Amino acid sequence: MFQGLLNRRKPERAARVEPVIAAAPATSGTRDPSGGVFNLGFGSGQSRVRTLPRVSGLIAQRHATVFACANNIAGDHSKVPLKMYQRDGEGGETRVRDHPATYLMNVEASPGVSARVLRFALVYAFCIRGRGHGYSPRDGGGELELIEAINPDHVSMFKAGRSRVFGFEDGAGIQRRVPARSMVNLRYMPEDGWTGRSPIEVAGESFGLALAGQEAAARTASGTTMRAVIKMEDTYEDDEAYSRNAKRIRNALTDPDSEGFPIIGANDDIDFPDITAADQELLASRKFDREQIAAVYRMPPSKLQMLEYGVKANGEQQAIDYLTDCLMHWSSLIEAEYAMGLLTEAERRSGLFFRHDFGALLQATTKEKYDALTKAVGGPIMTANTAQRIANLPITAGADDNQLNPASNMTRDPSNKED
């Protein structure tokens, strides 16, 4: 009996099965980002249509219209003087010439770098990437030492409460972390007040269509698509003979010495397919891409040589429209950020501010200039010496050259020396 008990088989241990725990939906926008996050136009540049190319500022600048818009805006901001003024509290403004920022922003920004190069780099990055950074350190006395353009792709921004700290590598190869008061931070359309967004990435789908059309046109022009259909004989001694004949015909098509007359066999034929209606529509749509890109940058068509619609205004009116519709939009943001990065709080409170002198873009002809000066000197608003300074002429020392003329219905009392 006991032997039977000892020989009884023990029951097999059941395998342990862990309960299945359903994973909670991921709430992290970094590990598992929701598609809606990037559909807001915050800067991904990727369309929901996955076949469209991913758009970024560096990629989109290959499009000639994008480059022309950014080049025009940055070039016109860098070629005009950036002047500093101070408000006097009574509605007047006084030109400030001896501030360190006026020299750094108009002559030499940093050792070996002109101010125009710096300003072009800042504004160009501002237009393409929506962000432009310039390192502006100060010495022990609080005076500006230099202004150095930093590649926006190499700048990291950290939060310290409501303040921001920027990490980057300066021109000397030194890793730095500086507060916002030591950085010119140009930013376009920031939703949080700090993080700028590129207009290219916000309108990424439209720019993606423009880039896709350009790439398709480039493939067509380069001949990577089908350029011709070759018909050859079906009977050959072997595959090597077939390949040799095909290569001979292909070389005859691409040989520049053939002068358009390829030599082929008696039973060979070449058919050149014409461009299809779809290809014609694709090429025509690229004109619409130019209009959309110009609208994003508020660029008048005349500045992009888009004259197919006709120009109703003269050149002077076109320049005025370009100034008021395009440049003033960008310059108001740029001037404000220059003031935040290059002026202290005390200087801003005292009324100091920057302004681009766009009058250089509206220069009059020699005849118009002299006619205006002649009329001004003949009245009670400008002396002859003032007009000579404006015209860069030698200053004369006549008795009446530095006196205002009275109005036409008044006479001057010779005994009064103050007239």
Side-chain angles (χ1 to χ4, degrees), residues 164-324:
R164 298 296 185 271
V165 178
F166 296 88
F168 60 94
E169 180 180 332
D170 65 4
I174 301 175
Q175 294 290 337
R176 296 185 180 275
R177 286 196 176 185
V178 300
R181 63 176 178 271
S182 297
M183 179 72 73
V184 178
N185 181 28
L186 303 182
R187 50 213 152 166
Y188 191 67
M189 294 190 301
E191 291 185 331
D192 59 354
W194 285 93
T195 308
R197 296 181 295 162
S198 170
I200 295 172
E201 296 178 356
V202 173
E205 204 160 77
S206 296
F207 280 86
L209 287 172
L211 291 177
Q214 177 171 278
E215 291 176 0
R219 286 193 298 269
T220 301
S222 63
T224 55
T225 58
M226 185 177 62
R227 300 176 61 181
V229 177
I230 302 175
K231 299 178 182 179
M232 299 191 307
E233 294 182 358
D234 294 335
T235 304
Y236 288 93
E237 297 179 358
D238 49 23
D239 292 341
E240 183 180 356
Y242 176 84
S243 300
R244 185 169 57 252
N245 189 48
K247 185 180 295 186
R248 181 181 59 82
I249 298 177
R250 184 185 62 187
N251 293 337
L253 286 173
T254 59
D255 185 10
D257 296 332
S258 63
E259 298 181 355
F261 299 95
I263 301 174
I264 60 178
N267 297 324
D268 298 331
D269 187 19
I270 301 177
D271 184 18
F272 296 93
D274 195 4
I275 185 171
T276 64
D279 294 336
Q280 293 178 354
E281 185 66 22
L282 177 62
L283 295 176
S285 67
R286 299 191 63 228
K287 296 174 59 178
F288 183 63
D289 294 337
R290 292 194 303 163
E291 298 173 9
Q292 285 186 320
I293 295 173
V296 168
Y297 283 100
R298 306 171 65 96
M299 183 68 58
S302 60
K303 292 294 292 183
L304 301 176
Q305 304 303 316
M306 297 167 57
L307 307 178
E308 57 267 23
Y309 302 106
V311 179
K312 297 180 180 179
N314 56 21
E316 183 178 0
Q317 185 60 45
Q318 291 179 40
I320 294 174
D321 294 341
Y322 170 57
L323 173 62
T324 56

Side-chain angles (χ1 to χ4, degrees), residues 142 326 346:
C326 180

